[in-house]
Amino acid sequence: MKNFTSVYDIDNLQEIIAKALKIKENPLQNPIKGKGKTIGLVFLNSSLRTRLSSQIAAQNLGLNVLTLNAAQEAWNLEFADGTVMNGDTVEHIKDAIEVLNQYCDIIAVRCFAGMKSKEDDVNESILSQFLKYSKVPVVSLESATRHPLQSLADCITITENWTENRKPKVVLTWAPHIKPIAQAVGNSFTEWMQQMDVDFVITNPEGYDLDKNFTKDTKVIHNQDEALKNADFVYVKNWSSFEDYANIPKVDENWMLTNEKLELTNNGKVMHCLPVRRNLELSDEVMDGENSIIYQQAKNRIFSAQAVFSEILDELK
């Protein structure tokens, strides 16, 4: 694994899930694997679970960890090529990355969709520059279109909660929000479920279909109650419109997951990547109920990151 930006950077999904679960049994089994190596965690956006889980995972492997809150602590960055920098930007991204190349053995970066230009977001205008200019492995801590470490943690969580000898039904359901949210988590979870041995369905209102480059042949149902029937896992997440980019078309139906809606499922386990807007995306009764495995998901962020960092360290030897 030279870089990690999507499920397609993994040779064998089941093997890395098994590796992560083995790490979970004893996170300090390789405490000096990263000795003498430095990972730079670059955050262009806010973070709680990604920041802390990545730091813990790196420290568990003995890596030296540099954390840069680039949006607050670094010079204003310029991302456009050929621009005359006579405005507010002070340092070009290619120069910043070249410096990181000198200091770090691995660069991990978190950047969100700008939600202004569909073309820029689809083409990963920020992550693509890290991949272009970096001379060391790059790990995506979330990008404009994907959130791969979260998705790996989701796969780990489903695996350890499923013991029956049949395919589980997994439903990704859209949820309400007060503002436009990027499609990264929905896109990414969809790609990873397509690689898992599951019966996967997406449900969202009309006007909220995800990019078909991610959904491909996945079944999309616009009736939430129909989609929830017999679900074993229900993943709750909001996203804005892809077709009417970054807008939030009006939805008349109530799409918030409640215990009443959970009765349609097969005692379905409830998942969410967090943060969650309680009683808007997800009701308190579900969030705090016995079907919720959301905090287990959050803990598994450590082991998804540690498994990926460990794989990359193997390449650096």
Side-chain angles (χ1 to χ4, degrees):
M1 187 188 299
K2 294 181 179 179
N3 297 306
F4 178 76
T5 64
S6 77
V7 69
Y8 302 113
D9 291 318
I10 292 175
D11 291 333
N12 188 306
L13 177 54
Q14 291 305 314
E15 283 184 7
I16 199 164
I17 291 172
K19 180 172 185 173
L21 288 170
K22 192 71 175 176
I23 289 169
K24 188 173 184 177
E25 293 176 5
N26 178 16
L28 296 177
Q29 59 190 262
N30 289 305
I32 60 171
K33 186 169 188 176
K35 184 178 181 180
K37 304 290 186 186
T38 297
I39 184 169
L41 306 178
V42 181
F43 291 89
L44 296 170
N45 303 94
S46 301
S47 176
L48 191 155
R49 281 148 297 278
T50 300
R51 180 190 308 270
L52 299 182
S53 62
S54 298
Q55 289 177 340
I56 294 168
Q59 290 166 355
N60 286 346
L61 292 166
L63 280 158
N64 180 40
V65 182
L66 301 178
T67 301
L68 176 64
N69 301 312
Q72 293 85 32
E73 299 170 351
W75 300 111
N76 287 342
L77 292 170
E78 176 60 55
F79 294 94
D81 282 334
T83 189
V84 177
M85 292 173 56
N86 58 359
D88 293 335
T89 56
V90 178
E91 184 160 31
H92 199 281
I93 187 64
K94 68 172 69 175
D95 302 320
I97 295 172
E98 184 54 44
V99 171
L100 289 169
N101 286 330
Q102 313 304 313
Y103 297 160
C104 305
D105 300 283
I106 303 169
I107 298 172
V109 58
R110 180 182 176 93
C111 54
F112 291 168
M115 306 294 284
K116 294 179 181 178
S117 167
K118 185 176 185 177
E119 182 180 4
D120 284 350
D121 291 343
V122 167
N123 291 325
E124 294 283 7
S125 62
I126 296 176
L127 179 62
S128 63
Q129 296 199 57
F130 276 85
L131 294 169
K132 178 179 179 180
Y133 295 117
S134 177
K135 296 182 175 69
V136 301
V138 172
V139 175
S140 170
L141 302 178
E142 188 171 7
S143 69
T145 64
R146 294 181 172 98
H147 197 347
L149 284 177
Q150 176 66 58
S151 298
L152 176 53
D154 300 336
C155 292
I156 295 164
T157 307
I158 289 171
T159 299
E160 62 185 351
N161 280 280
W162 189 248
T163 57
E164 295 190 35
N165 189 27
R166 63 175 177 85
K167 289 184 180 182
K169 180 179 178 181
V170 180
V171 177
L172 170 63
T173 179
W174 180 91
H177 210 284
I178 62 170
K179 65 179 184 179
I181 300 294
Q183 298 92 25
V185 172
N187 290 341
S188 192
F189 185 70
T190 296
E191 284 189 326
W192 289 69
M193 287 301 100
Q194 289 165 350
Q195 303 297 317
M196 291 278 282
D197 189 23
V198 300
D199 176 13
F200 180 55
V201 175
I202 302 171
T203 184
N204 55 258
E206 296 279 0
Y208 283 92
D209 287 359
L210 294 167
D211 183 354
K212 290 188 181 296
N213 286 321
F214 291 94
T215 59
K216 298 185 173 73
D217 295 328
T218 297
K219 184 186 295 183
V220 179
I221 300 174
H222 295 127
N223 183 309
Q224 188 186 41
D225 287 354
E226 180 185 344
L228 290 174
K229 288 177 183 177
N230 300 316
D232 298 296
F233 296 90
V234 181
Y235 199 116
V236 180
K237 186 68 182 83
N238 172 266
W239 58 85
S240 57
S241 175
F242 180 74
E243 182 178 1
D244 185 13
Y245 194 68
N247 286 309
I248 46 176
K250 187 176 184 299
V251 176
D252 293 326
E253 301 87 359
N254 179 15
W255 280 74
M256 183 180 73
L257 190 66
T258 61
N259 277 344
E260 182 179 359
K261 291 187 178 185
L262 265 186
E263 291 178 2
L264 297 167
T265 72
N266 184 32
N267 196 30
K269 301 294 186 182
V270 178
M271 305 174 71
H272 192 289
C273 63
L274 296 176
V276 63
R277 289 184 179 257
R278 283 173 174 257
N279 301 310
L280 179 65
E281 294 178 82
L282 193 56
S283 62
D284 279 339
E285 62 182 6
V286 175
M287 183 75 189
D288 300 325
E290 62 182 15
N291 290 64
S292 173
I293 53 174
I294 291 169
Y295 299 133
Q296 182 181 351
Q297 254 181 294
K299 185 172 183 178
N300 283 338
R301 291 294 308 277
I302 298 171
F303 313 116
S304 67
Q306 192 165 334
V308 168
F309 295 165
S310 180
E311 293 276 305
I312 289 175
L313 285 171
D314 287 340
E315 291 286 329
L316 294 178
K317 288 182 179 179

